[in-house]
């Protein structure tokens, strides 16, 4: 990645992290001052200037690479920050909703803490091999076993890849029980932080719904009935009066509700793959290419003709126990140093 010569990588990432905070402020201001049809055009244009446009090209020397930057993480942080800030602004009007406000505060604390855990926790990085003799030994052992290939040996980390691990191109590290690289947490999701990530997705979607619920009471209590409604507003009379009375809160509610749909779907998807199949996202996406998830008798067949197997599916109850509690179901199994399917799970080898 080639940066502008005046900036170091750390400085660039700091500037990129701060950018969404200014974008949210600009977006809320434009939504409150411009007609809706102009703000819809102006907000994406402002985002273009700061992200893939001239400012982004200036920072990255003409080669924007935001996948390796904290941009997505900062977007999430900034939106959550302004949602909590505007919730505090609404408190004098909705303070009578004791239980609902306490519940929202609890959900916000859980969502923020689990996001920090998913971001800063070790996802399961595998130690790189730096010693030349150890590297040579690993290569010779794999060559003798006929397994010196990309599925068993990582050239970048110079290690034998454990079962269910994968090298992340973004983090440039091998991760044990790799699920996926998440730009929203600016980290890989693996054996070390998958549980935090799952709780975070549920907490974030729940927080979006609770904020919208509280905002409904805020508008119902505080918005005057004689609010002047712009003639260009395409919504109902009530929604138009709310958007005119407090545009920032109204726009945050719309943004939160829209994003809660895909966030909750992401949560349900992970719940399904954990409880029903006990496979990672990477394994579901590449199941036809992974030897340990295809029948051993079909190794000579094309990938699309191989029969699919799943040695890790122990049933919904045991799958959940295996995910939430290490060593309860699969005792003495560490995804950091296991290279073959445990004998008690291998029902297909002869």
């Amino acid at each position: 990645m080639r940066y502008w010569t005046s900036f170091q990588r750390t400085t660039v990432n700091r500037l990129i992290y701060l950018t969404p905070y200014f974008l949210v402020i600009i977006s809320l201001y434009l939504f409150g001052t411009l007609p809706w049809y102009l703000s819809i055009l102006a907000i994406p244009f402002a985002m273009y200037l700061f992200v893939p446009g001239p400012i982004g090209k200036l920072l990255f020397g003409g080669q924007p690479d935001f996948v390796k930057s904290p941009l997505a993480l900062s977007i999430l942080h900034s939106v959550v920050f302004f949602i909590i800030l505007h919730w505090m602004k609404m408190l004098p009007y909705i303070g009578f909703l004791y239980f609902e406000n306490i519940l929202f505060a609890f959900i916000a604390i859980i969502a923020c803490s689990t996001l920090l855990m998913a971001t800063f926790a070790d996802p399961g990085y595998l130690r790189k091999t730096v010693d030349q003799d150890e590297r040579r030994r690993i290569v010779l052992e794999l060559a003798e076993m006929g397994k010196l290939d990309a599925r068993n040996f990582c050239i970048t980390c110079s290690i034998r890849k454990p079962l269910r691990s994968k090298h992340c191109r973004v983090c440039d590290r091998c991760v044990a029980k790799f699920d996926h690289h998440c730009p929203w947490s600016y980290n890989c999701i693996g054996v070390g932080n998958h549980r935090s990530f799952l709780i975070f997705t549920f907490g974030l979607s729940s927080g979006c719904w609770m904020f919208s619920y509280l905002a409904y009471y805020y508008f119902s209590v505080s918005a005057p009935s004689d609010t002047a409604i712009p003639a260009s507003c395409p919504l109902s009379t009530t929604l138009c009066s709310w958007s005119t009375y407090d545009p920032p809160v109204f726009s945050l509610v719309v943004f939160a509700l829209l994003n809660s749909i895909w966030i909750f779907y992401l949560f349900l998807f992970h719940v399904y793959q954990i409880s029903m199949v006990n496979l990672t996202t990477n394994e579901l996406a590449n199941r036809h290419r992974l030897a340990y998830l295809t029948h051993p008798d079909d190794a000579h067949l094309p990938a699309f003709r191989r029969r699919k197997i799943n040695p890790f599916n122990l049933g919904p109850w045991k799958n959940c126990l295996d995910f939430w509690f290490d060593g309860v179901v699969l005792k003495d199994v560490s995804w950091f140093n296991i290279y073959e399917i445990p004998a008690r799970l291998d029902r297909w080898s002869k």
Side-chain angles (χ1 to χ4, degrees):
M1 182 164 38
R2 182 166 60 89
Y3 296 96
W4 198 38
T5 54
S6 300
F7 293 142
Q8 299 296 324
R9 177 170 181 172
T10 304
T11 304
V12 171
N13 282 340
R14 288 174 180 172
L15 291 173
I16 291 174
Y17 180 83
L18 293 175
T19 297
Y21 287 87
F22 293 103
L23 285 176
V24 173
I25 295 175
I26 293 172
S27 300
L28 295 178
Y29 173 78
L30 292 176
F31 189 81
T33 56
L34 296 178
W36 67 271
Y37 51 86
L38 291 180
S39 62
I40 290 177
L41 298 175
I43 291 174
F45 179 72
M47 292 182 177
Y48 167 77
L49 291 178
F50 277 87
V51 183
I55 297 178
K57 291 181 179 179
L58 177 68
L59 294 177
F60 284 100
Q63 297 181 1
D65 189 359
F66 295 106
V67 175
K68 296 184 178 181
S69 75
L71 178 64
L73 174 68
S74 179
I75 292 174
L76 180 58
H77 281 187
S78 59
V79 173
V80 170
F81 171 78
F82 282 103
I83 284 179
I84 295 176
L85 190 67
H86 283 79
W87 167 68
M88 296 174 66
K89 183 187 77 171
M90 297 188 302
L91 272 178
Y93 301 92
I94 58 174
F96 62 92
L97 299 172
Y98 299 108
F99 174 77
E100 290 84 349
N101 282 292
I102 294 174
L103 180 60
F104 176 78
F106 175 76
I107 292 174
I109 293 173
I110 295 297
C112 292
S113 59
T114 50
L115 173 60
L116 291 176
M117 293 171 63
T119 302
F120 294 105
D122 184 349
Y125 290 133
L126 298 169
R127 183 181 62 86
K128 292 185 177 182
T129 301
V130 294
D131 183 72
Q132 293 293 335
D133 293 335
E134 184 180 357
R135 185 181 305 173
R136 188 180 301 109
R137 178 185 62 80
I138 294 173
V139 171
L140 291 175
E141 287 182 358
L142 290 175
E144 291 176 357
M145 292 185 294
K147 295 184 177 181
L148 188 58
D149 51 37
R151 289 176 295 183
N152 294 280
F153 181 75
C154 177
I155 299 177
T156 305
C157 299
S158 299
I159 62 171
R160 183 181 180 185
K161 295 163 66 174
L163 198 69
R164 313 188 78 176
S165 67
K166 186 180 185 297
H167 183 86
C168 176
R169 296 181 180 179
V170 179
C171 297
D172 199 31
R173 295 286 298 275
C174 283
V175 179
K177 201 181 179 183
F178 177 85
D179 189 86
H180 70 286
H181 180 86
C182 179
W184 303 105
S185 65
Y186 194 44
N187 198 6
C188 285
I189 303 301
V191 67
N193 60 355
H194 198 173
R195 285 171 285 206
S196 301
F197 173 80
L198 184 65
I199 298 173
F200 159 69
T201 55
F202 178 74
L204 185 60
S205 56
S206 302
C208 290
W209 298 331
M210 279 303 303
F211 175 74
S212 303
Y213 176 82
L214 294 172
Y216 168 78
Y217 276 94
Y218 163 71
F219 284 120
S220 300
V221 171
S222 62
S225 57
D226 57 347
T227 303
I229 300 175
S232 60
C233 183
L235 304 175
S236 66
T237 303
T238 302
L239 293 179
C240 286
S241 64
W242 290 356
S243 64
T244 305
Y245 171 70
D246 198 331
V249 172
F250 186 83
S251 58
L252 286 173
V253 168
V254 173
F255 186 84
L257 287 176
L258 290 177
N259 282 276
S260 67
I261 298 173
W262 70 266
I263 295 171
F264 189 65
Y265 170 79
L266 179 65
F267 167 75
L268 292 179
F269 173 74
H270 278 267
V271 169
Y272 164 77
Q273 69 180 27
I274 291 166
S275 61
M276 302 307 295
V277 294
N278 200 14
L279 294 177
T280 65
T281 303
N282 174 63
E283 289 170 335
L284 284 175
N286 300 285
R287 194 171 182 178
H288 61 287
R289 297 192 301 169
L290 299 173
Y292 61 87
L293 293 179
T294 56
H295 200 286
D297 294 339
D298 299 343
H300 63 287
L301 297 176
F304 68 93
R305 293 186 58 189
R306 296 172 186 170
R307 287 172 288 175
K308 307 298 187 297
I309 62 174
N310 184 2
F312 309 114
N313 189 0
L314 307 173
W317 174 246
K318 289 187 177 180
N319 288 343
C320 292
L321 287 178
D322 177 54
F323 176 79
W324 291 106
F325 305 101
D326 294 330
V328 173
V329 179
L330 298 178
K331 298 179 180 179
D332 302 325
V333 172
S334 172
W335 301 114
F336 289 87
N337 52 22
I338 185 170
Y339 304 99
E340 303 293 341
I341 298 176
R344 60 183 179 276
L345 298 181
D346 192 356
R347 304 185 294 274
W348 292 272
S349 298
K350 296 179 180 179

